[in-house]
Amino acid sequence: MTIALAYEQHRPMLFGLAYRMLGIVADAEDVVQDVFAQYMQTDAGEIANEKAYLAKMTANRCINLLKSSRRRRETYVGEWLPEPLPAGERDIDPAERRESIGYAYLVLLQRLTPLERAVYVLKEALGFEYADVSRMLERTETSCRKTLSRAKAKIGDAAAAQPAGGREDAKERFIDTFLRASDTGNFRPLLALLLDDVVLVSDGGGKARAAIRPIFGIKRVLAFFEGLAAKGSFREGFERMDLNGEPGLALRNEEGVVTKVMCAEWEPGGSRIRRLYIVVNPDKLTRVI
């Protein structure tokens, strides 16, 4: 297979792998480009499994990048959230489960070490066998199994597949309810869709006003939204926007530039929200148009 054909065939899978691991679109794009630049220098005839070889290069490059950026994450102002991926920005392999690229899923991956993240994504999202994963990461199969077990324990039940029935209606109901609430300033109807112990996390990165720490509890989250609405922060009006394969919300300024996006994490098997994620860091909104 020529490099051009290999790029066309495997790029969506490799981008999905890198984006899940890194949480930043530009970084994921750079990794994929670097991998193919390096691949052009190899003898493809000596590679038995091209897909696994490219995935190995991508995963290990992401691990190295995550390790090198650890200090930047530690000094980041406030909470760090992944960059949202608007619909149509990048094609993810259609064979992959949609929820495995969902925004809440990406946030959960941030709890994992670089190695745990690589094992989890390669095995759970991309479906590689343990034998493949062990060769890619130069670990034993036993080590990979233990690493995956640790990763699942850290993530918990929130990474489970989306339950059938009712969830899509609940998502749309949340969008409609929040749109009306932001227009009227009355956020009381939103309470029925939030867990009592709901948590709101916002990411401004020190470049836009945001809550430095998470906001805990339904009363404080309600007060947060009511306070912003009273200050006129929502006067331009939110709009529905597909983000990471799911319905989300976006707010534009007077110039039409998106300044805020919001995504939700739902309770497993239920129809209420347990976490809300708001991204206002302008560096993470450049692709949301």
Side-chain angles (χ1 to χ4, degrees), residues 29-282:
E29 292 174 333
D30 289 344
V31 164
V32 174
Q33 293 296 331
D34 289 346
V35 163
F36 274 100
Q38 183 179 342
Y39 187 52
M40 291 177 65
Q41 309 303 317
T42 63
D43 184 356
E46 297 181 357
I47 298 172
N49 186 330
E50 185 177 63
K51 178 181 178 181
Y53 183 82
L54 291 169
K56 171 183 178 178
M57 294 174 66
T58 302
N60 282 288
R61 192 172 290 268
C62 288
I63 289 174
N64 292 335
L65 189 58
L66 286 168
K67 289 179 178 178
S68 67
S69 64
R70 184 177 299 163
R71 184 173 297 277
R72 293 202 307 272
R73 294 283 182 90
E74 291 174 350
T75 58
Y76 193 82
V77 178
E79 297 291 316
W80 191 97
L81 290 173
E83 178 182 353
L85 187 69
E89 172 64 24
R90 281 292 180 272
D91 293 329
I92 302 299
D93 189 337
E96 298 176 24
R97 294 182 294 111
R98 186 182 67 174
E99 63 270 16
S100 72
I101 202 68
Y103 194 78
Y105 178 94
L106 291 177
V107 176
L108 291 170
L109 289 177
Q110 305 306 310
R111 301 178 185 176
L112 308 180
T113 67
L115 179 60
E116 289 169 346
R117 208 174 301 182
V119 172
Y120 191 95
V121 174
L122 289 168
K123 184 69 176 67
E124 295 295 294
L126 301 183
F128 283 102
E129 299 297 329
Y130 278 113
D132 294 322
V133 176
S134 67
R135 284 192 292 269
M136 291 177 191
L137 303 178
E138 298 181 351
R139 300 290 196 282
T140 65
E141 288 190 40
T142 299
S143 174
C144 289
R145 290 178 186 275
K146 290 180 179 179
T147 300
L148 181 62
S149 179
R150 288 197 304 270
K152 287 184 175 180
K154 288 183 180 181
I155 289 179
D157 58 5
Q162 300 285 352
R167 177 58 62 82
E168 296 305 319
D169 288 344
K171 291 177 182 178
E172 295 298 340
R173 187 163 64 254
F174 164 66
I175 298 297
D176 291 342
T177 301
F178 193 90
L179 288 174
R180 288 196 298 272
S182 63
D183 286 342
T184 63
N186 177 19
F187 289 88
R188 291 285 171 179
L190 192 64
L191 297 180
L193 295 174
L194 305 178
L195 290 175
D196 290 342
D197 58 352
V198 64
V199 180
L200 185 148
V201 181
S202 57
D203 176 352
K207 299 184 177 183
R209 295 191 63 180
I212 298 297
R213 297 180 178 84
I215 298 172
F216 295 92
I218 194 168
K219 291 183 179 180
R220 291 185 177 180
V221 170
L222 176 64
F224 174 79
F225 284 132
E226 290 176 338
L228 288 178
K231 294 176 183 178
S233 299
F234 300 155
R235 62 179 176 273
E236 284 82 12
F238 278 85
E239 63 184 68
R240 185 192 189 282
M241 178 177 289
D242 286 334
L243 299 165
N244 292 77
E246 298 181 335
L249 291 157
L251 183 69
R252 300 179 187 274
N253 61 18
E254 295 177 351
E255 289 74 39
V257 177
V258 173
T259 59
K260 191 189 306 288
V261 301
M262 182 162 63
C263 302
E265 177 186 324
W266 297 78
E267 60 176 337
S271 57
R272 290 195 295 171
I273 293 167
R274 68 179 185 182
R275 281 182 174 252
L276 286 167
Y277 301 110
I278 301 178
V279 179
V280 294
N281 184 338

